[in-house]
């Protein structure tokens, strides 16, 4: 690599998904930035439940077995969709000021022209795709991404590892926006994981009063450190009564982040009439919900997906910056690239990750 990443024939190491439980570390060409894109030398990559599910129980979303209708990608795919790094090259039409910048990327690539995109809902664009999900991603030395899905973070005081937290933070920002929650609201966050923890931070910053629920007391401690004013141990005989007592006469906003049948049933059973329940956690399989309660209790059950990069990404960077240098309680030291299967994908797939958010170093950092 002495001739640099942009030299003809330059190669890099990458973690390439070939099929179920088949992630291979391979040498591949360094990608070239297309129009509107930047070439990023990766500094850290977040691994999440989506990655673990694609590796352990997929691939379903990643176009390994079938061609992606927009990107055209078909075949083995470099994983990594939550990433940060240093811009070392720019494509046509990209401003020179990006050169050398430390950036975080949400990897989103909506078309920018359809009715949804122009109405500010680019996350439901029918031509939406994302780096590391529908095209090669960042579990490598280098990745390319649209400049419009990157935000400069060094001037905000964000470090090169924690910068990869901006993408999951943008998911939380979007979920909070979808809910309509505002300052002074009482909100419940059920499930203090890789999105729930960030959601607590977003909601506390918004001025909401956060009640955190989780099965794990250590995670409730983290919730408290992030500013939750009350914590409740989930899954016990008294959880429902404690929740009702916690919101009192107020109609809360309920974020169900656990993604479990039990979690959503509890929410639907226990919330007062008129409550908005935001279903953030992705269910692993279909399960029954008591829809009669949704109707007669006039509940609003709403979904939330990805982020609107035009609005959520810069807010997410600002929110990560608010706690810069102090994210180790959520994301401890990144794991080495060579341990990506054992210490990231496998432990998340098994539901026992030691960290709330697992970060991975690029190959060159080992
Ligand atoms: Zn993710
Ligand atoms: Zn669009």
């Amino acid at each position: 690599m002495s001739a640099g990443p942009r030299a003809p024939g330059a190669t890099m190491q990458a973690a390439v998904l070939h099929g179920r439980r088949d992630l291979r570390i391979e040498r591949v060409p360094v990608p070239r930035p297309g129009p509107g894109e930047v070439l990023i030398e990766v500094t850290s990559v977040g691994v999440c439940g989506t990655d673990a599910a694609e590796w352990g129980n997929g691939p379903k979303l990643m176009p390994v077995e079938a061609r992606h209708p927009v990107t055209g990608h078909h075949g083995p795919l470099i994983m990594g969709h939550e990433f940060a790094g240093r811009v070392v090259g720019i494509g046509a039409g990209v401003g020179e000021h990006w050169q050398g910048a430390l950036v975080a990327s949400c990897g989103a690539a909506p078309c920018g022209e359809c009715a949804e995109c122009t109405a500010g809902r680019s996350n439901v664009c029918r031509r939406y795709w994302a780096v590391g999900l529908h095209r090669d991603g960042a579990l490598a030395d280098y990745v390319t991404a649209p400049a419009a899905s990157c935000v400069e973070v060094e001037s905000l005081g964000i470090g090169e590892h924690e910068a990869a937290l901006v993408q999951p933070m943008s998911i939380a920002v979007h979920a909070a926006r979808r809910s309509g929650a505002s300052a002074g609201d009482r909100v419940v966050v059920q499930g203090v994981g890789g999105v729930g923890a960030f959601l607590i931070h977003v909601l506390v910053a918004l001025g909401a009063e956060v009640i955190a629920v989780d099965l794990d007391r250590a995670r409730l401690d983290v919730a408290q450190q992030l500013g939750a004013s009350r914590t409740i141990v989930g899954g016990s005989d008294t959880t429902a009564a404690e929740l009702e007592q916690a919101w009192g006469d107020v109609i809360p906003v309920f974020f169900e982040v656990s993604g479990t049948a039990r979690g959503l049933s509890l929410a639907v059973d226990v919330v007062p009439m008129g409550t908005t329940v935001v279903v953030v956690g992705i269910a692993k399989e279909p399960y029954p919900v008591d829809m009669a309660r949704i109707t007669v209790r006039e509940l609003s059950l709403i979904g939330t997906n990805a982020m609107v990069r035009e609005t959520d990404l810069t807010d997410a960077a600002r929110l990560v910056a608010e706690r810069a240098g102090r994210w180790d309680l959520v994301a401890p030291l990144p794991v080495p690239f060579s341990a990506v299967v054992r210490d990231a994908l496998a432990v998340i797939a098994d539901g026992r990750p030691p960290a709330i958010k697992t970060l991975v170093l690029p190959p060159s950092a080992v």
Side-chain angles (χ1 to χ4, degrees):
M1 199 80 62
S2 55
R6 306 202 73 188
T11 62
M12 63 175 187
Q13 277 197 295
V16 186
L17 185 69
H18 283 257
R20 188 167 299 180
R21 295 194 179 245
D22 184 8
L23 186 78
R24 303 181 199 167
I25 295 181
E26 296 176 344
R27 215 157 238 297
V28 300
V30 172
R32 296 186 167 274
E37 294 185 345
V38 290
L39 175 66
I40 298 167
E41 183 171 16
V42 177
T43 55
S44 78
V45 184
V47 170
C48 73
T50 299
D51 296 308
E54 286 295 296
W55 169 80
N57 199 30
K60 292 174 183 163
L61 169 77
M62 295 177 182
V64 175
E65 282 155 16
R67 183 171 301 278
H68 190 271
V70 184
T71 65
H73 186 103
H74 183 194
L77 180 108
I78 303 172
M79 297 181 78
H81 63 274
E82 308 176 1
F83 54 96
R86 186 78 59 187
V87 174
V88 292
I90 55 174
V94 176
E96 277 292 330
H97 67 278
W98 286 100
Q99 283 285 13
L102 180 68
V103 296
S105 179
C106 67
C111 81
E113 290 161 3
C114 69
E116 274 65 51
C117 283
T118 49
R121 291 192 78 191
S122 66
N123 63 322
V124 295
C125 169
R126 292 196 197 175
R127 291 187 58 77
Y128 180 96
W129 59 271
V131 175
L133 294 173
H134 311 117
R135 189 185 89 176
D136 282 336
L139 275 170
D141 288 313
Y142 299 93
V143 65
T144 54
S149 72
C150 295
V151 57
E152 187 279 319
V153 293
E154 208 155 27
S155 64
L156 301 172
I158 297 175
E160 60 178 20
H161 294 155
E162 64 192 1
L165 305 180
V166 170
Q167 195 271 3
M169 184 69 82
S170 71
I171 306 268
V173 166
H174 182 65
R177 270 214 175 94
R178 286 280 291 153
S179 75
S182 58
D185 282 350
R186 214 162 284 176
V187 303
V188 178
V189 176
Q190 177 167 268
V192 186
V195 173
F198 295 113
L199 196 45
I200 292 170
H201 181 73
V202 172
L203 293 162
V204 168
L206 198 63
E209 192 186 319
V210 179
I211 304 156
V213 187
D214 200 280
L215 303 174
D216 183 331
R217 283 174 199 274
R219 292 201 167 188
L220 291 177
D221 282 347
V222 172
Q224 209 156 26
Q225 290 179 65
L226 292 172
S229 52
R230 184 159 180 166
T231 60
I232 295 174
V233 179
S236 86
D237 294 345
T238 59
T239 302
E242 285 181 69
L243 274 167
E244 283 175 296
Q245 204 244 323
W247 58 63
D249 291 338
V250 172
I251 296 179
V253 178
F254 198 112
F255 294 88
E256 202 313 287
V257 200
S258 77
T260 62
R262 196 176 175 188
L264 187 58
S265 289
L266 172 71
V268 169
D269 282 352
V270 79
V271 294
M273 287 183 75
T275 300
T276 295
V277 178
V278 188
V279 187
V280 184
I282 301 175
K284 289 194 174 65
E285 68 259 346
Y287 50 71
V289 176
D290 186 352
M291 292 306 289
R293 282 187 81 80
I294 312 284
T295 307
V296 301
R297 298 177 66 75
E298 201 165 302
L299 305 183
S300 299
L301 199 60
I302 63 175
T304 174
N305 183 51
M307 79 298 290
V308 175
R309 74 174 182 189
E310 294 75 17
T311 51
D312 300 335
L313 186 61
T314 48
D315 278 1
R318 179 180 54 76
L319 285 156
V320 169
E322 270 185 12
R323 210 188 156 86
R326 295 186 298 126
W327 282 108
D328 52 320
L329 78 172
V330 173
L333 280 181
V335 304
F337 185 76
S338 57
V340 62
V341 171
R342 188 192 66 197
D343 293 343
L345 294 168
V347 285
I348 298 171
D350 292 348
R352 49 175 185 84
I356 291 179
K357 184 74 220 176
T358 304
L359 298 179
V360 179
L361 291 169
S364 53
V366 179

